[in-house]
Amino acid sequence: MTTFSPSTVEEVHAAVADTRASHPRLLVTGAGTASEWGAPAEPADAVIDTTSLTGVLKYAPSDLTIAVRAGTPFTTVQETLRGAGQRVALDAARARRGATVGGLLATADAGPLRTTFGSLRDLVIGTTVVLGDGTVARSGGHVIKNVAGYDLAKLFHGSLGTLGVVAEVVLRLHPLPQAVGTVAIEAEAAEAFDLAGKVVMTGLEASALEWSGGRLLVKLEGTPEGVEQRERELCRLGGTTARVLTDEEADAAWTGVAAIADGVRGTTVVRIGTMPAGGPVLVARLVAEGAAVTSSMAIGVHTVQLTGGDHDELLTQFHQEFGAAVTVLRRDGLSAGRAWGPPPAPVRVMQAIKRQFDPAGRFGAGRFSLWLEEEERAS
């Protein structure tokens, strides 16, 4: 199979535009940390490998923005920013395994900080993409407020490489906190949901609220004095089972949360979205099934690791009983055709966007099987 390894937007354009006849179907790849996400890609005529598409294009610390090529490892971006006391407020587990900026955007991945800062759809303010006919399209820019044209970042967010090649990304930045603390509160899922609500309502400004391993982990960021004061208030709110973790304990706790999302060979890993109020019942069911669960209780995002057996029926039940949106992160323990559940209500919108951006069907065939292909069969 032919592989193109562009290092600039111009080279991405050439790789796509010059191959419409010779290589009609393309697969976009990066660091490979999300190769099992969604349904398996169908065989392609050529691969667009973005791992050479790296580097910082423009960094404006005073504007809190940075522009990078999409194949840049996310950890490299964070290291660049750290010297100026800034960061991209994203903590996806895959970042430590070399995930790229474009890959994190294409998978809509995020970690516990999603509770406060959202995912890359909330942190990308500009992007450059190359479409199937070679068109180079840009939206946004280097300012926080920009409303001109399509918001390509939101369209490509979670698209799994099915609309085009993300070539460049402009990211919104936040200051690094002066201090970080974590309070752990022993609680079952239902109690943790109530506690998370109280933390939000009392204005303690937690940057992350994650239930994992029978504990609600609350991350607090800010000045040293502010963090200490909120730790005390949170311990009073949490009662006798609440305690402030040492730095080593906190690192271990958050590493454990990331490990659930990473999974290991032989496990099924899925991310399930529910209305927040439906989370406690779902999580209790998952724990009863022997699953390892980490849950952003306040927003209804649950990452689940299942071991052993065939999990198709279990995921079907979640769809039926909870109306849950399920994204497969690791497919071990699932049948080949069980990457997605029933088509969601907006599937026609997804199909229309696919027609608009990739009418020739060049990119990522099979990744959303059978949602995007459903329209082709009907016609």
Side-chain angles (χ1 to χ4, degrees), residues 16-41:
V16 175
D18 297 346
T19 60
R20 282 179 285 179
S22 59
H23 301 82
R25 286 206 165 185
L26 302 173
L27 177 65
V28 184
T29 64
T33 59
S35 59
E36 293 194 24
W37 283 50

Side-chain angles (χ1 to χ4, degrees), residues 90-369:
L90 187 85
D91 56 349
R94 286 170 36 232
R96 60 183 183 174
R97 294 192 282 115
T100 64
V101 173
L104 291 170
L105 178 65
T107 55
D109 198 7
L113 289 177
R114 65 168 73 86
T115 298
T116 296
F117 299 100
S119 59
L120 279 184
R121 74 185 302 276
D122 306 290
L123 299 171
V124 173
I125 59 173
T127 190
T128 300
V129 302
V130 179
L131 305 181
D133 62 358
T135 297
V136 177
R138 293 181 171 88
S139 74
H142 291 266
V143 295
I144 300 302
K145 291 184 179 180
N146 192 310
V147 296
Y150 281 113
D151 190 337
L152 292 176
K154 287 183 173 61
L155 288 176
F156 276 69
H157 186 257
S159 63
L160 296 182
T162 60
L163 299 179
V165 184
V166 179
E168 296 175 357
V169 177
V170 184
L171 295 161
R172 176 186 182 183
L173 308 179
H174 288 84
L176 277 172
Q178 296 177 30
V180 180
T182 297
V183 175
I185 306 171
E186 302 290 333
E188 297 299 323
E191 184 184 0
F193 175 77
D194 291 338
L195 279 169
K198 291 177 181 177
V199 171
V200 172
M201 294 302 294
T202 53
L204 289 172
E205 297 182 343
S207 58
L209 288 162
E210 197 79 6
W211 184 87
S212 182
R215 298 187 298 177
L216 180 65
L217 300 172
V218 186
K219 180 175 286 188
L220 302 168
E221 298 180 332
T223 64
E225 298 81 5
V227 169
E228 289 179 7
Q229 178 182 350
R230 285 180 288 150
E231 285 175 341
R232 290 193 295 270
E233 293 176 11
L234 188 55
C235 285
R236 285 195 293 269
L237 180 67
T240 58
T241 65
R243 69 182 187 90
V244 178
L245 300 184
T246 66
D247 290 344
E248 293 76 13
E249 290 173 331
D251 286 343
W254 293 112
T255 297
V257 168
I260 292 174
D262 278 341
V264 294
R265 185 176 297 277
T267 62
T268 299
V269 182
V270 296
R271 185 156 288 152
I272 303 176
T274 65
M275 295 297 289
V281 176
L282 174 68
V283 170
R285 283 275 304 280
L286 287 165
V287 171
E289 295 285 344
V293 183
T294 177
S295 173
S296 295
M297 280 286 182
I299 58 174
V301 177
H302 321 282
T303 304
V304 183
Q305 187 180 122
L306 297 156
T307 58
D310 181 349
H311 305 300
D312 288 18
E313 183 177 348
L314 183 62
L315 295 188
T316 299
Q317 291 175 5
F318 293 151
H319 282 297
Q320 294 173 344
E321 296 179 28
F322 298 95
V326 179
T327 301
V328 174
L329 313 188
R330 179 177 284 276
R331 292 188 295 269
D332 296 350
L334 293 175
S335 60
R338 190 56 181 81
W340 304 101
V347 70
R348 297 299 181 190
V349 176
M350 294 175 63
Q351 293 166 352
I353 292 171
K354 176 68 171 176
R355 287 197 307 272
Q356 180 72 27
F357 282 84
D358 186 26
R362 298 196 69 190
F363 289 107
R367 294 306 303 273
F368 280 101
S369 184

